Amino acid sequence: MPRSEKPGKANARAAAPPAEREPEERGARDAGGLDRYDIALLAELQRDARQSNADLAARIGLSPAPTWRRVRRLEELGVVTGYRAEIDRRKIGLGVLAFVRVDTDRDNLEATRALEDAIRGLPEVISCHYISGAGTFELQVLVTDLDAYARWTMDTLFRLPNVKDLHTSFSLGEVKAGAALPLGHLAAAR
């Protein structure tokens, strides 16, 4: 037996049903592509990332070893970027969700980069996007109440580099939040 091969690995590989063989063995995927098992894994991990590997395997129709390898591959490729708990913001006192459009000078690249770096460091900002149309950035900001938002804008946001103006809208109620990413287009592309 070659030194690099673990005992039983060749036998296990030969005995594995074609559906459970690794992608390079069965040729089911193109380079970097996702097959139906990968898509099923992504859906399951979004639904419940705390389930055991055995439960994941049972849900997608593979045995635990190939399932574990596939999850690791998705992590290594950067498709799965991490795992986190979803927290009810209201139960921890974050009652205000604000959508803040930030106007800047778009032709000052150095100041814009400094503003990006500053925004990344603000824990109240849960997302930031470049936007088209009026404004440069759209922020989602969580704070405890309206007074806290007013203080935060005056003491923090207006003091950031390259901020010319702010336009704020407040959430009056959530219809959908923290949703899983849609995966239907991946299955349709196969």
Side-chain angles (χ1 to χ4, degrees), residues 1-7:
M1 167 184 336
R3 260 204 187 289
S4 63
E5 187 144 348
K6 294 179 182 173

Side-chain angles (χ1 to χ4, degrees), residues 51-95:
Q51 59 187 304
S52 70
N53 185 62
D55 288 342
L56 273 173
R59 289 184 184 280
I60 69 163
L62 286 178
S63 62
T67 299
W68 182 84
R69 286 191 298 268
R70 284 170 175 273
V71 170
R72 293 296 163 257
R73 178 179 168 272
L74 291 169
E75 292 170 349
E76 289 167 4
L77 290 173
V79 175
V80 174
T81 58
Y83 303 90
R84 63 186 178 100
E86 289 187 29
I87 300 170
D88 184 329
R89 67 179 174 86
R90 288 174 201 85
K91 291 188 178 179
I92 61 166
L94 296 171

Side-chain angles (χ1 to χ4, degrees), residues 158-172:
F158 272 125
R159 294 177 188 241
L160 296 180
N162 203 24
V163 172
K164 289 173 42 180
D165 200 6
L166 305 176
H167 306 274
T168 304
S169 298
F170 295 100
S171 172
L172 300 177

Side-chain angles (χ1 to χ4, degrees), residues 55-176:
D55 288 342
L56 273 173
R59 289 184 184 280
I60 69 163
L62 286 178
S63 62
T67 299
W68 182 84
R69 286 191 298 268
R70 284 170 175 273
V71 170
R72 293 296 163 257
R73 178 179 168 272
L74 291 169
E75 292 170 349
E76 289 167 4
L77 290 173
V79 175
V80 174
T81 58
Y83 303 90
R84 63 186 178 100
E86 289 187 29
I87 300 170
D88 184 329
R89 67 179 174 86
R90 288 174 201 85
K91 291 188 178 179
I92 61 166
L94 296 171
V96 171
L97 170 59
F99 301 93
V100 184
R101 189 179 75 217
V102 178
D103 296 330
T104 67
D105 288 322
R106 289 182 187 247
D107 60 349
N108 188 338
L109 183 61
E110 187 176 309
T112 300
R113 296 285 185 231
L115 176 57
E116 290 173 6
D117 290 341
I119 289 171
R120 284 186 196 101
L122 298 174
E124 297 86 356
V125 178
I126 60 170
S127 75
C128 174
H129 300 270
Y130 281 111
I131 58 171
S132 62
T136 306
F137 296 103
E138 182 83 18
L139 312 178
Q140 286 185 13
V141 177
L142 285 176
V143 292
T144 55
D145 56 34
L146 290 175
D147 290 336
Y149 178 75
R151 283 190 307 275
W152 182 79
T153 57
M154 298 306 288
D155 297 343
T156 303
L157 205 51
F158 272 125
R159 294 177 188 241
L160 296 180
N162 203 24
V163 172
K164 289 173 42 180
D165 200 6
L166 305 176
H167 306 274
T168 304
S169 298
F170 295 100
S171 172
L172 300 177
E174 290 178 1
V175 174
K176 184 176 182 181

Side-chain angles (χ1 to χ4, degrees), residues 18-70:
E20 289 189 12
R21 291 186 188 153
E22 285 302 302
E24 60 273 9
E25 294 176 7
R26 68 177 197 279
R29 286 186 260 189
D30 55 9
L34 303 177
D35 67 12
R36 68 184 177 109
Y37 294 108
D38 295 327
I39 296 166
L41 270 173
L42 293 174
E44 282 299 318
L45 288 171
Q46 285 189 110
R47 188 184 64 75
D48 180 6
R50 290 187 59 170
Q51 59 187 304
S52 70
N53 185 62
D55 288 342
L56 273 173
R59 289 184 184 280
I60 69 163
L62 286 178
S63 62
T67 299
W68 182 84
R69 286 191 298 268
R70 284 170 175 273

